[in-house]
């Protein structure tokens, strides 16, 4: 209820359009970085029939094209007798190869990282699980009114005594609806932060107060047969600092 009230309060303020990054809890990443000497906090609460998780990811830009991220979740796992659970820290580096040109060439970034076997309550990975992916971003109609994001990557989780190699992908779109309010839809298979190999879809909103503050909410779940993503929802906030020096 607290998260709902916070979102409702900010949605009542004057609309101020701005640029946006595709951020968690959306799985499909953006081909952009936080910027040199800036820090970023992405934090969100998500819940489904299996668990309730509070995530925090901290990013920093030591150089203009480079972004370093670490963080993880804690919460409640309903599938375990001891329900308290936590994991992390996930460590990731993303490098921007080129900025997107509106209505022309897409932006491109590469990212790689590892999920360590640290944690408790079923949130933790079984082993050191590396991942890497390519992120592509296309902007249409100027001022980021329509954004298309595409990810393609590989994650290598360990299962029993063998290590698997799994492809994951995601396609998402963000469309300006009214002022600072944006609608978002994505479809994805797999997640670099998880060994879950299933197809899921999410839809929701992103409210961009300014370049430093954004809010978002999602709903979604698995589609198709086989292993599935539980239906659930989330609410989050993204904060970006000015240049630290």
């Amino acid at each position: 209820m607290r998260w709902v009230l916070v979102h409702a309060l900010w949605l009542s303020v004057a609309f101020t359009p701005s640029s946006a990054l595709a951020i968690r809890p959306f799985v499909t990443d953006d081909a952009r970085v936080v910027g040199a000497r800036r820090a970023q906090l992405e934090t969100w609460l998500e819940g489904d029939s299996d668990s309730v998780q509070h995530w925090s990811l901290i990013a920093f830009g030591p150089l203009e094209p480079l972004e370093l991220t670490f963080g993880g979740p804690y919460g409640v796992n309903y599938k375990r007798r001891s329900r308290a659970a936590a994991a992390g820290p996930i460590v990731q580096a993303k490098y921007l190869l080129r900025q997107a040109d509106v209505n022309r060439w897409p932006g491109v970034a590469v990212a790689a990282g590892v999920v360590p076997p640290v944690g408790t309550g079923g949130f933790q990975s079984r082993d050191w699980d590396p991942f890497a992916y390519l992120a592509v971003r296309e902007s249409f109609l100027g001022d980021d009114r329509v954004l298309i994001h595409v990810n393609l990557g590989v994650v290598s989780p360990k299962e029993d005594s063998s290590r698997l190699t799994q492809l994951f992908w995601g396609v998402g779109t963000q469309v300006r609806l009214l002022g600072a309010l944006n609608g978002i839809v994505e479809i994805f298979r797999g997640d670099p932060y998880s060994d879950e190999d299933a197809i899921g879809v999410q839809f929701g909103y992103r409210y961009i107060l300014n370049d430093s503050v954004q809010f978002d909410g999602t709903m979604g779940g698995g589609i198709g047969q086989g292993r599935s993503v539980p239906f659930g929802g989330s609410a989050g906030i993204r904060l970006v600092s000015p240049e630290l020096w």
Side-chain angles (χ1 to χ4, degrees), residues 26 30 38 43-44 72 76 105 147 182 192 201 208-209 215 218 232:
F26 291 94
D30 194 359
R38 296 180 185 273
T43 184
W44 69 95
V76 177
W105 296 103
L147 297 175
N182 297 263
V201 62
I208 308 166
L209 185 65
F215 300 92
T218 72

Side-chain angles (χ1 to χ4, degrees), residues 58-83:
I58 298 173
F60 174 67
L63 303 171
E64 185 62 35
L66 179 63
E67 178 182 282
L68 304 177
T69 301
F70 68 95
Y74 69 90
V76 177
N77 186 348
Y78 300 127
K79 290 185 173 182
R80 294 295 182 101
R81 184 174 181 179
S82 179
R83 295 187 173 185

